Amino acid sequence: MSIYILAIESSCDDTSAAVLHNRTVLSNVIANQQVHAGFGGVVPELASRAHQANIIPVIHQAIKTAGIEKHQIDAVAFTRGPGLLGSLLVGTSFAKSFALGLAKPLIEVDHMQAHILAHFIEKEGKDSLYPEFPFLCLTVSGGHTQIVRIDDYFSMQVIGRTIDDASGEAFDKAAKIMGLSYPGGPMIDKLAKSGNPEAFRFARPMIADLDYSFSGLKTSFLYFVRDQLKINPDFIELNKADLSASIQKAIVDILMDKLMKAVERTGIRQVAVAGGVSANAALRQAFLKQEAEGNIEAFIPEFQYTTDNAAMIGIAAYFKYLKKDFADLSATPYSRSTAR
Ligand code: KG4
Ligand code: ZN
């Protein structure tokens, strides 16, 4: 079977469109929104306006780069949620009109499932190893932090979750305290490379079961920095690298601790990581270390599929297409995750 899918992602602050041929990505165009940089977070109203400005050129570019004609598209996929409603509406409305215009089926995709299913994107020229069911996935982004058990492409169970902030938020908030611009995760990752992860120690949460908490860590970081600034107003400037490496280590330790408990508890040793925070070098290293020690078989996504992108929406849609699981025009976006 030969299937071409046009996929659209607009759940937060990236406008993205991709064309897939079966499991192969032909194009994956992403327009980042710089407008939020100075605000310390995504401003919803500005995000939806930017999506409106970006969506047509981004889709046009995705189809052009893929080297196909519009009439070859077999289905149009879109992110239905979770995410910012105003942002989701732009992609959803566009997908509906486009599918209607082409007289092709419409496929709705859950953003968090898509982050996980990105692991099934065809890997070119490499010894392609894909996770086998059941596997675990640590799903870490700006809005979510979950341990998910995956029994089939669309049979997933959240077995651990954050009770407050997401791990991406922990990175972003720590970055904001240090005066770095949004999103702070990639900046902390970069600065941490020349810092000492043992320089400062921050509180680790005591949370039951497989759940996470990051709000205490943020507060501990905030108070520590505030106290140090009283002693030396240049404290942040002089210690940016060490602060970054230390907060990053705390976040990664917390993530890995519960994940390894989940491995122990479920007996599942194939373990993937997905979502924006899976771009983090220290987290990727922690996965490889566990693999080297023989504790898990690690699946780390290609860097380009870690943060928000439409290729992951396309691969999820491909598996739905095979099941003829199509959406109708009444599908409306949802802001909160359905997997609770
Ligand atoms: O998956 P994603 O692109 O969007 C959401 O679905 O939320 O994740 C964005 C999050 C942000 O919090 C960002 O700071 C974080 O992922 N992030 C990182 C890195 N790259 C992105 N965090 C740590 N290290 C990175 N290299
Ligand atoms: Zn995401």
Side-chain angles (χ1 to χ4, degrees), residues 212-276:
Y212 288 110
S213 166
F214 288 98
S215 69
L217 177 65
K218 178 200 66 188
T219 311
S220 150
F221 186 76
L222 175 69
Y223 288 175
F224 173 75
V225 171
R226 201 187 54 185
D227 291 347
Q228 294 300 318
L229 282 174
K230 281 184 199 151
I231 304 164
N232 178 1
D234 294 330
F235 177 75
I236 294 179
E237 213 38 58
L238 294 172
N239 293 282
K240 253 182 191 162
D242 285 350
L243 281 169
S244 296
S246 302
I247 189 77
Q248 175 173 277
K249 182 176 187 325
I251 295 170
V252 171
D253 283 355
I254 293 168
L255 288 172
M256 292 308 289
D257 179 50
K258 289 296 173 86
L259 182 64
M260 294 316 293
K261 280 202 174 78
V263 170
E264 211 175 287
R265 203 174 282 188
T266 59
I268 298 173
R269 293 162 60 87
Q270 293 214 355
V271 189
V273 60

Side-chain angles (χ1 to χ4, degrees), residues 193-340:
K193 289 192 169 46
S194 52
N196 172 12
E198 310 292 343
F200 310 110
R201 193 173 162 83
F202 305 107
R204 305 290 199 266
M206 306 285 284
I207 300 292
D209 294 327
L210 299 175
D211 288 340
Y212 288 110
S213 166
F214 288 98
S215 69
L217 177 65
K218 178 200 66 188
T219 311
S220 150
F221 186 76
L222 175 69
Y223 288 175
F224 173 75
V225 171
R226 201 187 54 185
D227 291 347
Q228 294 300 318
L229 282 174
K230 281 184 199 151
I231 304 164
N232 178 1
D234 294 330
F235 177 75
I236 294 179
E237 213 38 58
L238 294 172
N239 293 282
K240 253 182 191 162
D242 285 350
L243 281 169
S244 296
S246 302
I247 189 77
Q248 175 173 277
K249 182 176 187 325
I251 295 170
V252 171
D253 283 355
I254 293 168
L255 288 172
M256 292 308 289
D257 179 50
K258 289 296 173 86
L259 182 64
M260 294 316 293
K261 280 202 174 78
V263 170
E264 211 175 287
R265 203 174 282 188
T266 59
I268 298 173
R269 293 162 60 87
Q270 293 214 355
V271 189
V273 60
V277 180
S278 69
N280 184 266
L283 183 58
R284 293 165 88 93
Q285 263 166 26
F287 262 71
L288 294 176
K289 183 167 172 276
Q290 289 295 344
E291 183 170 65
E293 288 172 4
N295 300 326
I296 61 168
E297 196 181 334
F299 294 88
I300 298 171
E302 280 183 46
F303 197 76
Q304 56 181 331
Y305 304 131
T306 54
T307 48
D308 289 349
N309 65 89
M312 68 184 198
I313 305 303
I315 189 75
Y318 168 74
F319 293 118
K320 285 200 163 183
Y321 189 99
L322 296 182
K323 295 198 303 172
K324 303 254 175 293
D325 184 354
F326 300 131
D328 61 43
L329 293 174
S330 63
T332 48
Y334 52 87
S335 59
R336 307 285 302 240
S337 181
T338 48
R340 309 220 117 232

Side-chain angles (χ1 to χ4, degrees), residues 108-157:
E108 61 168 79
V109 170
D110 180 273
H111 182 89
M112 295 314 293
Q113 287 192 347
H115 269 302
I116 297 171
L117 294 175
H119 280 281
F120 295 97
I121 289 173
E122 191 85 47
K123 294 176 204 159
E124 250 175 54
K126 292 183 191 150
D127 288 4
S128 303
L129 278 181
Y130 302 96
E132 283 164 26
F133 304 119
F135 67 94
L136 297 180
C137 188
L138 175 68
T139 312
V140 275
S141 70
H144 291 80
T145 292
Q146 300 172 332
I147 301 174
V148 187
R149 178 195 161 114
I150 296 101
D151 286 293
D152 200 355
Y153 295 111
F154 298 103
S155 173
M156 303 185 184
Q157 193 195 349

